[in-house]
């Protein structure tokens, strides 16, 4: 059953992560040795929010294919609002090849399925979204975005339009930078940072963000520092900032309170795909749940902020215990039970 009046709108790619065998290559492995999992950061966040109980909408574009059908079933089962979902008759849904090392850490190394016209997520249509925006934004508190749509002109235009409409209508913008060089250049080194053109395209979104989530290396590329309060002070909106660093402590500056905490150890590590997206979902879920009424002052104190981040970290840790970014996403009872044990 679809939740009405979404409070978070997740924009961007929905795709398949083709997980290669541990230590193997998904491009050359036999189909039986690979594990196809529905994913894509915005779709992951939308599914995780729905499972946590936050009303959420997904805005994106899928091919009319088996992957698109699978997403429709999944998103409907989770209760995600799909008024902003588009279908593409020419372009297929994207398949991302994911190489995993023996410990489950992953690297995105290319795509499969392109028939020559690109992928459906690259063609998000701004004009088709405009009629749906007023109803979607009616009670929305957050527009959750990433930078991957900027890699294609049509989806970049749609994303910029949505951010402008969010600003006009008082919907706050949460940006997870989620830098993935393969989406900008399929032949790029998966460890490469953004070039000058990509950085220039990202800057307007960074300037308009009210919540900014970055990996440490993304923070260094964009700001030449990974210190959250310095990053916040350098931006016009003085956004809340969270910086993650793999297995090292997560640091934040939220509601004027800065701090750090060790990451929470997963019960086991099967696959780290989607852990950061689950973290983002946990963070937004808590901020929506604890948000004051419109016009009232922020009430989170330092302990409350730490509890918000700890909840988000638990969501991320629990996703590592299963394959793919969506199937292992926890229910609230699982998150609370885990937090009682750590």
């Amino acid at each position: 059953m679809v939740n009405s009046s979404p409070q978070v709108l997740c924009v961007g790619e929905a795709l398949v992560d083709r997980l290669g065998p541990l230590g193997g290559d998904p491009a050359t492995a036999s189909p039986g040795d690979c594990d196809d999992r529905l994913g894509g950061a915005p779709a992951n966040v939308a599914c995780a929010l729905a499972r946590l109980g936050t009303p959420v909408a997904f805005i994106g574009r899928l091919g009319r294919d088996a992957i698109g059908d699978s997403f429709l079933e999944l998103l409907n089962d989770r209760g995600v609002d799909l008024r902003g979902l588009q279908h593409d008759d020419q372009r297929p849904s994207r398949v991302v090849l994911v190489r995993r090392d023996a410990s489950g850490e992953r690297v995105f190394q290319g795509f499969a399925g392109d028939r020559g016209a690109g992928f459906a997520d690259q063609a998000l249509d701004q004009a088709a979204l405009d009629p749906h925006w007023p109803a979607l934004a009616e009670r929305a508190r957050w527009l959750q975005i990433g930078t991957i749509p900027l890699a294609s002109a049509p989806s970049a235009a749609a994303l910029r339009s949505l951010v402008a409409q969010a600003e006009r209508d008082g919907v706050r913008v949460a940006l997870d930078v989620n830098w993935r060089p393969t989406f900008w250049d399929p032949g790029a080194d998966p460890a490469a940072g953004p070039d000058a053109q990509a950085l220039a395209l990202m800057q307007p979104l960074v300037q308009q963000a009210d919540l900014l989530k970055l990996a440490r290396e993304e923070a260094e590329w964009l700001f030449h520092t990974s210190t959250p309060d310095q990053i916040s002070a350098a931006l016009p909106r003085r956004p809340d900032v969270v910086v993650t660093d793999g297995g090292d402590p997560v640091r934040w500056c939220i509601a004027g309170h800065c701090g750090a905490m060790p990451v929470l150890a997963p019960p086991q590590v099967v696959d780290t795909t989607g852990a950061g997206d689950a973290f983002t979902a946990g963070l937004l879920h808590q901020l929506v749940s604890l948000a004051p009424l419109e016009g009232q002052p922020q009430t989170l104190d330092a302990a409350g902020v730490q509890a918000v981040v700890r909840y988000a970290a638990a969501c991320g840790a629990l996703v590592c215990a299963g394959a793919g970014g969506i199937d292992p996403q926890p229910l609230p009872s699982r998150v609370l039970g885990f937090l009682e044990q750590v």
Side-chain angles (χ1 to χ4, degrees):
M1 182 177 178
V2 175
N3 287 315
S4 60
S5 301
Q7 293 183 296
V8 180
L9 312 177
C10 297
V11 181
E13 64 281 1
L15 46 80
V16 161
D17 290 315
R18 180 159 293 165
L19 309 176
L22 294 179
D25 186 346
T28 58
S30 65
D33 292 332
C34 293
D35 186 7
D36 282 3
R37 297 282 173 165
L38 300 180
N44 288 345
V45 174
C47 286
L49 280 166
R51 180 158 274 182
L52 292 171
T54 292
V56 59
F58 175 71
I59 299 172
R61 191 174 180 93
L62 287 161
R64 292 194 184 275
D65 48 30
I67 295 172
D69 291 343
S70 295
F71 264 111
L72 277 176
E73 182 178 1
L74 168 69
L75 294 168
N76 276 315
D77 284 349
R78 288 284 178 101
V80 176
D81 188 310
L82 298 181
R83 285 175 288 182
L85 179 63
Q86 301 174 6
H87 303 277
D88 197 305
D89 292 318
Q90 282 77 44
R91 301 168 187 84
S93 305
R94 193 190 302 247
V95 176
V96 182
L97 302 176
V98 183
R99 183 192 288 266
R100 296 183 293 170
D101 65 20
S103 69
E105 288 293 332
R106 80 273 191 263
V107 172
F108 300 97
Q109 66 170 51
F111 309 111
D114 186 1
R115 299 192 293 263
F119 296 103
D121 64 269
Q122 297 175 296
L124 188 64
D125 183 358
Q126 171 189 347
L129 290 173
D130 288 343
H132 298 288
W133 174 261
L136 288 169
E138 183 179 7
R139 293 190 61 197
R141 306 296 295 271
W142 290 96
L143 180 74
Q144 191 271 323
I145 63 173
T147 62
I148 285 175
L150 295 176
S152 303
S155 56
L159 181 62
R160 287 191 287 265
S161 176
L162 287 168
V163 170
Q165 290 177 86
E167 183 170 18
R168 179 196 68 200
D169 294 340
V171 180
R172 305 183 79 199
V173 174
L175 171 61
D176 180 356
V177 171
N178 195 35
W179 168 250
R180 297 288 183 263
T182 307
F183 285 80
W184 298 72
D185 175 6
D189 178 351
D195 61 17
Q197 180 184 11
L199 287 170
L201 288 170
M202 290 180 195
Q203 279 303 323
L205 297 186
V206 171
Q207 298 285 324
Q208 291 168 288
D210 299 287
L211 170 64
L212 189 57
K213 176 181 170 289
L214 311 107
R216 179 194 53 77
E217 60 271 18
E218 293 168 345
E220 295 287 352
W221 290 328
L222 286 164
F223 300 101
H224 308 292
T225 178
S226 60
T227 304
D229 59 330
Q230 293 180 11
I231 294 170
S232 181
L235 293 169
R237 290 182 182 269
R238 301 295 192 268
D240 295 334
V241 177
V242 179
V243 178
T244 59
D245 191 10
D248 290 328
V250 56
R251 293 172 290 160
W252 65 84
C253 189
I254 297 174
H257 304 290
C258 300
M261 59 168 275
V263 298
L264 303 180
Q268 61 178 326
V269 177
V270 173
D271 173 27
T272 61
T273 301
D277 303 327
F279 180 100
T280 298
L283 192 64
L284 289 171
H285 171 71
Q286 288 287 286
L287 292 176
V288 166
S289 300
L290 300 172
L293 296 174
E294 196 68 31
Q296 292 187 357
Q298 177 60 258
T299 57
L300 278 175
D301 59 14
V305 170
Q306 181 162 346
V308 165
V309 177
R310 193 166 180 264
Y311 187 98
C315 292
L318 289 169
V319 164
C320 296
I326 294 177
D327 286 347
Q329 290 169 345
L331 291 164
S333 58
R334 179 75 176 97
V335 179
L336 295 176
F338 176 71
L339 287 172
E340 289 175 355
Q341 298 168 5
V342 295

